[in-house]
Amino acid sequence: MEKGIFEGLKVLDCASFIAAPAAATVLSDFGADVIKIEPPGSGDPYRNLPNLPGYPASEHNFAWLLEARNKRSLALDLSKPEGRAVLHRLAAEADVFITNYPPSVRERLGITHEHLAPHNERLIYASFTGYGEKGEEANKPGFDSNAYWARSGLMDLVRADIDTTPARSVAGMGDHPCAMAFYGAIVTALYRRERTGKGSHVSSNLMANGVWAASVLAQAKLCGAKFGERRPRERALNAVTNHYKCRDGRWIILSLLNEERQWPTLARCLGREDLIADERFSTKADRHARSLELIKVFDEVFATRDLAEWRKLLDGNGLVFGVVGILDDIPHDKQMLDNEVLVPFENDTMLTINSPIWVDGARKVQPRKPPAIGEHSDQILRQAGYDEASIRQLRASGAVA
């Protein structure tokens, strides 16, 4: 087993909420040394997320555990010249600098690519925004609920029908897919650096990733396609690619794309072998033409058994379906545990969610609990070449805590 792919890679995480620091977390999973730069005192505002109204009550800071694992914390006030000088020194020795400050804030703080690149020609400067680096909305704050979910059309597209209100997103739902795209941009730049020896500026944004997520239908619109009416579940065009409620209130979704071959098997599994010879549903075209009738039949049948029974029956006959999961399922999901989707923290039984990529032969670090605010400030400064007198001076100035 080789060392972590990114062991020895130095990353400065100067970001918050959520995609940009989550990309740094993925780098840390593969061994990168990630320094979390956060304001002295209150620290990264993201630390406070679970305290906001509407979030689940927990004795653990679940958001921070997920996003800040494996990292070291440097409490640094970038509004002070002394703090910016520290950042510039760290950037001179770093491989990757990650930020999601708006362009205007980066300019004001003196941490743009143009400010940092002269200190280190190999630096990968990675910036993440809500709406992109250009145009009139470049400095507009964006969260995944508005810039990813709403702006892209996804919020509208997932409505059950035209009369249903737009669907709300959940925390981080867009941020975490965006983090993987941002991670991909950083790794692409690192590969380019291997070939050229030069660093570069890479970027991504919530809006672009949202449209990418909606891109099948967005591309149809760009091609001038004509869209049909939005139909509720009860009026779906295909009964065998629809979702149904089981006796225990749980939901299951059928996904039989090979309908001609699997239709007889499905009918037998449902205890309705009579449907195979029913002339109303004898062909694929018939079933689609009478989808409303067939959905009603399936609704009645699925309501006769619990989800666990249907899972066993359908799995045993090779039919393609999915469980509409709920959060209560996740801690005990054997398939997730077997595939290390869920992994324990170091020296703890508490599970966390692994980054969703694996490389054979490449070790991932066992997740370490996140740092306290400024927990590693002195250690990081010493490694950057500051002596004890200089560190005391920085603390006295308030630039470091």
PDB file of all heavy atoms in Angstrom, residues 339-364:
ATOM      1  N   ASN A 339     -18.749  -0.693   1.302  1.00  0.00           N
ATOM      2  CA  ASN A 339     -18.015   0.051   0.274  1.00  0.00           C
ATOM      3  C   ASN A 339     -17.347   1.313   0.802  1.00  0.00           C
ATOM      4  O   ASN A 339     -16.924   2.170   0.026  1.00  0.00           O
ATOM      5  CB  ASN A 339     -18.956   0.385  -0.882  1.00  0.00           C
ATOM      6  CG  ASN A 339     -19.267  -0.813  -1.732  1.00  0.00           C
ATOM      7  OD1 ASN A 339     -18.499  -1.174  -2.618  1.00  0.00           O
ATOM      8  ND2 ASN A 339     -20.393  -1.465  -1.450  1.00  0.00           N
ATOM      9  N   GLU A 340     -17.253   1.432   2.129  1.00  0.00           N
ATOM     10  CA  GLU A 340     -16.573   2.552   2.787  1.00  0.00           C
ATOM     11  C   GLU A 340     -17.140   3.905   2.363  1.00  0.00           C
ATOM     12  O   GLU A 340     -16.418   4.891   2.299  1.00  0.00           O
ATOM     13  CB  GLU A 340     -15.067   2.500   2.532  1.00  0.00           C
ATOM     14  CG  GLU A 340     -14.423   1.242   3.098  1.00  0.00           C
ATOM     15  CD  GLU A 340     -12.913   1.213   2.915  1.00  0.00           C
ATOM     16  OE1 GLU A 340     -12.403   1.891   1.994  1.00  0.00           O
ATOM     17  OE2 GLU A 340     -12.239   0.523   3.693  1.00  0.00           O
ATOM     18  N   VAL A 341     -18.425   3.926   2.084  1.00  0.00           N
ATOM     19  CA  VAL A 341     -19.110   5.216   1.914  1.00  0.00           C
ATOM     20  C   VAL A 341     -19.189   5.902   3.277  1.00  0.00           C
ATOM     21  O   VAL A 341     -19.107   7.122   3.384  1.00  0.00           O
ATOM     22  CB  VAL A 341     -20.518   4.994   1.321  1.00  0.00           C
ATOM     23  CG1 VAL A 341     -21.302   6.304   1.268  1.00  0.00           C
ATOM     24  CG2 VAL A 341     -20.414   4.372  -0.069  1.00  0.00           C
ATOM     25  N   LEU A 342     -19.326   5.080   4.298  1.00  0.00           N
ATOM     26  CA  LEU A 342     -19.309   5.548   5.685  1.00  0.00           C
ATOM     27  C   LEU A 342     -18.079   4.952   6.365  1.00  0.00           C
ATOM     28  O   LEU A 342     -17.845   3.749   6.273  1.00  0.00           O
ATOM     29  CB  LEU A 342     -20.571   5.101   6.421  1.00  0.00           C
ATOM     30  CG  LEU A 342     -21.907   5.390   5.736  1.00  0.00           C
ATOM     31  CD1 LEU A 342     -23.058   4.761   6.513  1.00  0.00           C
ATOM     32  CD2 LEU A 342     -22.119   6.896   5.598  1.00  0.00           C
ATOM     33  N   VAL A 343     -17.295   5.798   7.026  1.00  0.00           N
ATOM     34  CA  VAL A 343     -16.072   5.341   7.686  1.00  0.00           C
ATOM     35  C   VAL A 343     -15.979   5.973   9.069  1.00  0.00           C
ATOM     36  O   VAL A 343     -16.493   7.082   9.292  1.00  0.00           O
ATOM     37  CB  VAL A 343     -14.818   5.712   6.861  1.00  0.00           C
ATOM     38  CG1 VAL A 343     -14.753   4.874   5.581  1.00  0.00           C
ATOM     39  CG2 VAL A 343     -14.799   7.200   6.515  1.00  0.00           C
ATOM     40  N   PRO A 344     -15.325   5.302  10.010  1.00  0.00           N
ATOM     41  CA  PRO A 344     -15.220   5.857  11.364  1.00  0.00           C
ATOM     42  C   PRO A 344     -14.110   6.896  11.473  1.00  0.00           C
ATOM     43  O   PRO A 344     -13.105   6.833  10.764  1.00  0.00           O
ATOM     44  CB  PRO A 344     -14.898   4.631  12.219  1.00  0.00           C
ATOM     45  CG  PRO A 344     -14.161   3.719  11.284  1.00  0.00           C
ATOM     46  CD  PRO A 344     -14.772   3.939   9.926  1.00  0.00           C
ATOM     47  N   PHE A 345     -14.309   7.836  12.377  1.00  0.00           N
ATOM     48  CA  PHE A 345     -13.238   8.757  12.718  1.00  0.00           C
ATOM     49  C   PHE A 345     -12.132   8.002  13.440  1.00  0.00           C
ATOM     50  O   PHE A 345     -12.358   6.955  14.056  1.00  0.00           O
ATOM     51  CB  PHE A 345     -13.753   9.873  13.630  1.00  0.00           C
ATOM     52  CG  PHE A 345     -14.460  10.989  12.921  1.00  0.00           C
ATOM     53  CD1 PHE A 345     -15.840  11.091  12.953  1.00  0.00           C
ATOM     54  CD2 PHE A 345     -13.736  11.939  12.209  1.00  0.00           C
ATOM     55  CE1 PHE A 345     -16.495  12.124  12.298  1.00  0.00           C
ATOM     56  CE2 PHE A 345     -14.376  12.980  11.553  1.00  0.00           C
ATOM     57  CZ  PHE A 345     -15.751  13.071  11.589  1.00  0.00           C
ATOM     58  N   GLU A 346     -10.941   8.554  13.376  1.00  0.00           N
ATOM     59  CA  GLU A 346      -9.789   7.978  14.076  1.00  0.00           C
ATOM     60  C   GLU A 346     -10.065   7.919  15.579  1.00  0.00           C
ATOM     61  O   GLU A 346     -10.537   8.887  16.179  1.00  0.00           O
ATOM     62  CB  GLU A 346      -8.564   8.866  13.799  1.00  0.00           C
ATOM     63  CG  GLU A 346      -7.263   8.334  14.320  1.00  0.00           C
ATOM     64  CD  GLU A 346      -6.117   9.260  13.953  1.00  0.00           C
ATOM     65  OE1 GLU A 346      -6.109  10.416  14.435  1.00  0.00           O
ATOM     66  OE2 GLU A 346      -5.260   8.841  13.166  1.00  0.00           O
ATOM     67  N   ASN A 347      -9.800   6.761  16.161  1.00  0.00           N
ATOM     68  CA  ASN A 347      -9.985   6.548  17.608  1.00  0.00           C
ATOM     69  C   ASN A 347     -11.410   6.824  18.070  1.00  0.00           C
ATOM     70  O   ASN A 347     -11.641   7.340  19.158  1.00  0.00           O
ATOM     71  CB  ASN A 347      -9.007   7.413  18.415  1.00  0.00           C
ATOM     72  CG  ASN A 347      -7.568   7.152  18.058  1.00  0.00           C
ATOM     73  OD1 ASN A 347      -7.165   6.003  17.875  1.00  0.00           O
ATOM     74  ND2 ASN A 347      -6.778   8.208  17.940  1.00  0.00           N
ATOM     75  N   ASP A 348     -12.377   6.486  17.240  1.00  0.00           N
ATOM     76  CA  ASP A 348     -13.768   6.748  17.585  1.00  0.00           C
ATOM     77  C   ASP A 348     -14.647   5.777  16.805  1.00  0.00           C
ATOM     78  O   ASP A 348     -14.227   5.235  15.777  1.00  0.00           O
ATOM     79  CB  ASP A 348     -14.151   8.190  17.233  1.00  0.00           C
ATOM     80  CG  ASP A 348     -15.327   8.712  18.052  1.00  0.00           C
ATOM     81  OD1 ASP A 348     -16.230   7.909  18.362  1.00  0.00           O
ATOM     82  OD2 ASP A 348     -15.354   9.913  18.366  1.00  0.00           O
ATOM     83  N   THR A 349     -15.851   5.557  17.308  1.00  0.00           N
ATOM     84  CA  THR A 349     -16.804   4.722  16.573  1.00  0.00           C
ATOM     85  C   THR A 349     -17.760   5.563  15.738  1.00  0.00           C
ATOM     86  O   THR A 349     -18.523   5.012  14.938  1.00  0.00           O
ATOM     87  CB  THR A 349     -17.631   3.863  17.550  1.00  0.00           C
ATOM     88  OG1 THR A 349     -18.315   4.722  18.479  1.00  0.00           O
ATOM     89  CG2 THR A 349     -16.729   2.890  18.312  1.00  0.00           C
ATOM     90  N   MET A 350     -17.739   6.878  15.930  1.00  0.00           N
ATOM     91  CA  MET A 350     -18.615   7.746  15.144  1.00  0.00           C
ATOM     92  C   MET A 350     -18.248   7.673  13.665  1.00  0.00           C
ATOM     93  O   MET A 350     -17.081   7.731  13.307  1.00  0.00           O
ATOM     94  CB  MET A 350     -18.518   9.201  15.616  1.00  0.00           C
ATOM     95  CG  MET A 350     -19.440  10.156  14.859  1.00  0.00           C
ATOM     96  SD  MET A 350     -19.136  11.886  15.284  1.00  0.00           S
ATOM     97  CE  MET A 350     -19.679  11.892  16.985  1.00  0.00           C
ATOM     98  N   LEU A 351     -19.259   7.544  12.829  1.00  0.00           N
ATOM     99  CA  LEU A 351     -19.045   7.460  11.392  1.00  0.00           C
ATOM    100  C   LEU A 351     -19.098   8.845  10.743  1.00  0.00           C
ATOM    101  O   LEU A 351     -19.747   9.758  11.245  1.00  0.00           O
ATOM    102  CB  LEU A 351     -20.123   6.582  10.752  1.00  0.00           C
ATOM    103  CG  LEU A 351     -20.139   5.103  11.160  1.00  0.00           C
ATOM    104  CD1 LEU A 351     -21.379   4.424  10.599  1.00  0.00           C
ATOM    105  CD2 LEU A 351     -18.876   4.398  10.686  1.00  0.00           C
ATOM    106  N   THR A 352     -18.399   8.958   9.630  1.00  0.00           N
ATOM    107  CA  THR A 352     -18.513  10.153   8.798  1.00  0.00           C
ATOM    108  C   THR A 352     -18.629   9.702   7.350  1.00  0.00           C
ATOM    109  O   THR A 352     -18.486   8.515   7.031  1.00  0.00           O
ATOM    110  CB  THR A 352     -17.324  11.105   8.992  1.00  0.00           C
ATOM    111  OG1 THR A 352     -17.599  12.338   8.314  1.00  0.00           O
ATOM    112  CG2 THR A 352     -16.030  10.517   8.447  1.00  0.00           C
ATOM    113  N   ILE A 353     -18.915  10.637   6.468  1.00  0.00           N
ATOM    114  CA  ILE A 353     -19.169  10.321   5.065  1.00  0.00           C
ATOM    115  C   ILE A 353     -17.886  10.505   4.274  1.00  0.00           C
ATOM    116  O   ILE A 353     -17.298  11.588   4.256  1.00  0.00           O
ATOM    117  CB  ILE A 353     -20.300  11.208   4.516  1.00  0.00           C
ATOM    118  CG1 ILE A 353     -21.583  10.933   5.304  1.00  0.00           C
ATOM    119  CG2 ILE A 353     -20.532  10.938   3.030  1.00  0.00           C
ATOM    120  CD1 ILE A 353     -22.550  12.085   5.332  1.00  0.00           C
ATOM    121  N   ASN A 354     -17.467   9.464   3.623  1.00  0.00           N
ATOM    122  CA  ASN A 354     -16.233   9.462   2.864  1.00  0.00           C
ATOM    123  C   ASN A 354     -16.388  10.276   1.582  1.00  0.00           C
ATOM    124  O   ASN A 354     -17.495  10.423   1.054  1.00  0.00           O
ATOM    125  CB  ASN A 354     -15.870   8.012   2.513  1.00  0.00           C
ATOM    126  CG  ASN A 354     -14.389   7.795   2.306  1.00  0.00           C
ATOM    127  OD1 ASN A 354     -13.616   8.734   2.243  1.00  0.00           O
ATOM    128  ND2 ASN A 354     -13.994   6.541   2.206  1.00  0.00           N
ATOM    129  N   SER A 355     -15.293  10.799   1.076  1.00  0.00           N
ATOM    130  CA  SER A 355     -15.331  11.408  -0.255  1.00  0.00           C
ATOM    131  C   SER A 355     -15.593  10.294  -1.271  1.00  0.00           C
ATOM    132  O   SER A 355     -15.110   9.172  -1.106  1.00  0.00           O
ATOM    133  CB  SER A 355     -14.024  12.136  -0.557  1.00  0.00           C
ATOM    134  OG  SER A 355     -12.906  11.322  -0.255  1.00  0.00           O
ATOM    135  N   PRO A 356     -16.359  10.585  -2.337  1.00  0.00           N
ATOM    136  CA  PRO A 356     -16.920   9.505  -3.158  1.00  0.00           C
ATOM    137  C   PRO A 356     -16.031   9.016  -4.299  1.00  0.00           C
ATOM    138  O   PRO A 356     -16.535   8.669  -5.370  1.00  0.00           O
ATOM    139  CB  PRO A 356     -18.203  10.137  -3.701  1.00  0.00           C
ATOM    140  CG  PRO A 356     -17.859  11.581  -3.847  1.00  0.00           C
ATOM    141  CD  PRO A 356     -16.961  11.895  -2.686  1.00  0.00           C
ATOM    142  N   ILE A 357     -14.717   8.985  -4.109  1.00  0.00           N
ATOM    143  CA  ILE A 357     -13.813   8.427  -5.110  1.00  0.00           C
ATOM    144  C   ILE A 357     -12.763   7.576  -4.410  1.00  0.00           C
ATOM    145  O   ILE A 357     -12.354   7.861  -3.285  1.00  0.00           O
ATOM    146  CB  ILE A 357     -13.121   9.528  -5.957  1.00  0.00           C
ATOM    147  CG1 ILE A 357     -12.464  10.574  -5.060  1.00  0.00           C
ATOM    148  CG2 ILE A 357     -14.094  10.169  -6.930  1.00  0.00           C
ATOM    149  CD1 ILE A 357     -11.670  11.612  -5.831  1.00  0.00           C
ATOM    150  N   TRP A 358     -12.330   6.526  -5.116  1.00  0.00           N
ATOM    151  CA  TRP A 358     -11.313   5.623  -4.601  1.00  0.00           C
ATOM    152  C   TRP A 358     -10.321   5.322  -5.710  1.00  0.00           C
ATOM    153  O   TRP A 358     -10.692   5.290  -6.901  1.00  0.00           O
ATOM    154  CB  TRP A 358     -11.949   4.313  -4.113  1.00  0.00           C
ATOM    155  CG  TRP A 358     -12.772   4.480  -2.879  1.00  0.00           C
ATOM    156  CD1 TRP A 358     -12.386   4.267  -1.593  1.00  0.00           C
ATOM    157  CD2 TRP A 358     -14.147   4.897  -2.815  1.00  0.00           C
ATOM    158  NE1 TRP A 358     -13.417   4.534  -0.726  1.00  0.00           N
ATOM    159  CE2 TRP A 358     -14.518   4.932  -1.450  1.00  0.00           C
ATOM    160  CE3 TRP A 358     -15.095   5.268  -3.762  1.00  0.00           C
ATOM    161  CZ2 TRP A 358     -15.783   5.305  -1.023  1.00  0.00           C
ATOM    162  CZ3 TRP A 358     -16.365   5.642  -3.341  1.00  0.00           C
ATOM    163  CH2 TRP A 358     -16.703   5.651  -1.985  1.00  0.00           C
ATOM    164  N   VAL A 359      -9.062   5.130  -5.330  1.00  0.00           N
ATOM    165  CA  VAL A 359      -8.012   4.775  -6.289  1.00  0.00           C
ATOM    166  C   VAL A 359      -7.315   3.536  -5.741  1.00  0.00           C
ATOM    167  O   VAL A 359      -6.766   3.566  -4.634  1.00  0.00           O
ATOM    168  CB  VAL A 359      -6.995   5.929  -6.457  1.00  0.00           C
ATOM    169  CG1 VAL A 359      -5.907   5.528  -7.446  1.00  0.00           C
ATOM    170  CG2 VAL A 359      -7.696   7.208  -6.910  1.00  0.00           C
ATOM    171  N   ASP A 360      -7.352   2.456  -6.503  1.00  0.00           N
ATOM    172  CA  ASP A 360      -6.736   1.217  -6.031  1.00  0.00           C
ATOM    173  C   ASP A 360      -5.267   1.441  -5.687  1.00  0.00           C
ATOM    174  O   ASP A 360      -4.513   2.047  -6.455  1.00  0.00           O
ATOM    175  CB  ASP A 360      -6.831   0.134  -7.114  1.00  0.00           C
ATOM    176  CG  ASP A 360      -8.206  -0.493  -7.196  1.00  0.00           C
ATOM    177  OD1 ASP A 360      -9.068  -0.134  -6.375  1.00  0.00           O
ATOM    178  OD2 ASP A 360      -8.417  -1.343  -8.083  1.00  0.00           O
ATOM    179  N   GLY A 361      -4.881   0.956  -4.511  1.00  0.00           N
ATOM    180  CA  GLY A 361      -3.496   1.052  -4.079  1.00  0.00           C
ATOM    181  C   GLY A 361      -3.134   2.371  -3.439  1.00  0.00           C
ATOM    182  O   GLY A 361      -2.014   2.522  -2.944  1.00  0.00           O
ATOM    183  N   ALA A 362      -4.064   3.328  -3.455  1.00  0.00           N
ATOM    184  CA  ALA A 362      -3.795   4.643  -2.851  1.00  0.00           C
ATOM    185  C   ALA A 362      -4.512   4.726  -1.512  1.00  0.00           C
ATOM    186  O   ALA A 362      -5.731   4.574  -1.443  1.00  0.00           O
ATOM    187  CB  ALA A 362      -4.263   5.761  -3.772  1.00  0.00           C
ATOM    188  N   ARG A 363      -3.752   4.964  -0.484  1.00  0.00           N
ATOM    189  CA  ARG A 363      -4.316   5.016   0.863  1.00  0.00           C
ATOM    190  C   ARG A 363      -5.051   6.323   1.098  1.00  0.00           C
ATOM    191  O   ARG A 363      -4.580   7.389   0.743  1.00  0.00           O
ATOM    192  CB  ARG A 363      -3.183   4.880   1.884  1.00  0.00           C
ATOM    193  CG  ARG A 363      -3.626   4.885   3.340  1.00  0.00           C
ATOM    194  CD  ARG A 363      -2.423   4.737   4.253  1.00  0.00           C
ATOM    195  NE  ARG A 363      -1.488   5.840   4.096  1.00  0.00           N
ATOM    196  CZ  ARG A 363      -1.567   6.999   4.770  1.00  0.00           C
ATOM    197  NH1 ARG A 363      -2.549   7.191   5.630  1.00  0.00           N
ATOM    198  NH2 ARG A 363      -0.675   7.950   4.587  1.00  0.00           N
ATOM    199  N   LYS A 364      -6.212   6.206   1.705  1.00  0.00           N
ATOM    200  CA  LYS A 364      -6.883   7.386   2.241  1.00  0.00           C
ATOM    201  C   LYS A 364      -6.580   7.449   3.736  1.00  0.00           C
ATOM    202  O   LYS A 364      -6.467   6.408   4.400  1.00  0.00           O
ATOM    203  CB  LYS A 364      -8.402   7.299   2.052  1.00  0.00           C
ATOM    204  CG  LYS A 364      -8.921   7.755   0.700  1.00  0.00           C
ATOM    205  CD  LYS A 364     -10.442   7.801   0.726  1.00  0.00           C
ATOM    206  CE  LYS A 364     -11.007   8.339  -0.569  1.00  0.00           C
ATOM    207  NZ  LYS A 364     -12.483   8.394  -0.542  1.00  0.00           N
TER     208      LYS A 364
END
